[in-house]
Amino acid sequence: GWLHPFAPRPGEIQIRDIARGLASTYRYRGQTRQLYNVAEHSVIVSLYVAPEHAREALLHDGSEAYLGDMVGPVKAAPLMAGFRVVEDRLQAAIYAAFGVTLTSESAADVHTIDRRACSDEMPLLLAPGELVEDAALVHEAHMQACRIKYGAPLGAAIPCLPVFQSEYLFLSRFRELFPEIAAE
């Protein structure tokens, strides 16, 4: 589809575009041992939040379908303030397009689970290769650092699905959470 990211118009935001975009966008900029995409991550987050926050969780990275994923330290830099404004506006438009109303409680729940998912993802995906001396010790140190920074792991399986399977999984979860829209 076509979308004006600076000022999305009604009808431009389509769930199939979001599903394809997120399935084609890799977490951690793809610098991982296995490719792991944002669609799969979004489904995982939607499964671990309180059920009443699952809709918001599934769509929480929706703007990345159009703008791409950016590593946290770069996105947080003062120089990127304009980008964050565009991203926030687009994310708000996505929520509005699908009738999702954020609350402070839902935002906090999604944020917490999103961060805790990193404790499941990072040790698996960013673990050192076999060529690193004392790889097991380095891996355990990384695991500890993730737990301290992001919280206890969720215990989520991270299968690192191919793009087409992640897109299908995302759309299936969307149909489950938004039956009134999926039926249209």
Side-chain angles (χ1 to χ4, degrees):
W2 178 260
L3 176 112
H4 294 80
F6 294 106
R9 298 174 186 154
E12 287 182 338
I13 296 171
Q14 302 293 320
I15 196 60
R16 289 192 177 280
D17 295 337
I18 293 171
R20 172 62 53 88
L22 295 181
S24 302
T25 301
Y26 295 109
R27 298 265 297 158
Y28 311 105
R29 299 303 306 145
Q31 300 297 310
T32 54
R33 293 181 72 174
Q34 296 176 279
L35 292 175
Y36 175 60
N37 62 55
V38 179
E40 187 176 340
H41 164 79
S42 297
V43 170
I44 289 170
V45 173
S46 79
L47 292 169
Y48 281 87
V49 295
E52 63 272 19
H53 305 149
R55 288 175 165 216
E56 179 181 336
L58 184 67
L59 298 173
H60 81 279
D61 283 334
S63 62
E64 293 179 11
Y66 302 101
L67 302 175
D69 188 17
M70 189 178 298
V71 292
V74 174
K75 189 189 289 188
L79 183 64
M80 299 304 293
F83 176 83
R84 291 190 303 273
V85 168
V86 171
E87 181 182 50
D88 290 348
R89 284 183 188 155
L90 181 53
Q91 188 62 47
I94 290 168
Y95 286 142
F98 298 106
V100 174
T101 303
L102 281 69
T103 65
S104 57
E105 182 184 346
S106 66
D109 187 23
V110 171
H111 179 73
T112 297
I113 297 303
D114 186 35
R115 289 183 60 79
R116 284 185 59 199
C118 293
S119 290
D120 292 292
E121 298 164 356
M122 291 176 129
L124 170 71
L125 300 169
L126 304 177
E130 295 75 33
L131 299 178
V132 174
E133 192 172 325
D134 297 323
L137 292 174
V138 172
H139 180 69
E140 185 51 38
H142 192 202
M143 194 67 170
Q144 281 291 70
C146 287
R147 287 182 186 133
I148 290 167
K149 184 172 183 178
Y150 300 112
L154 300 168
I158 311 294
C160 300
L161 300 171
V163 170
F164 74 95
Q165 286 180 337
S166 293
E167 180 180 357
Y168 180 82
L169 179 68
F170 185 92
L171 288 171
S172 295
R173 183 68 171 147
F174 180 84
R175 286 183 195 100
E176 178 184 332
L177 294 173
F178 295 84
E180 73 284 359
I181 296 173
E184 293 176 355

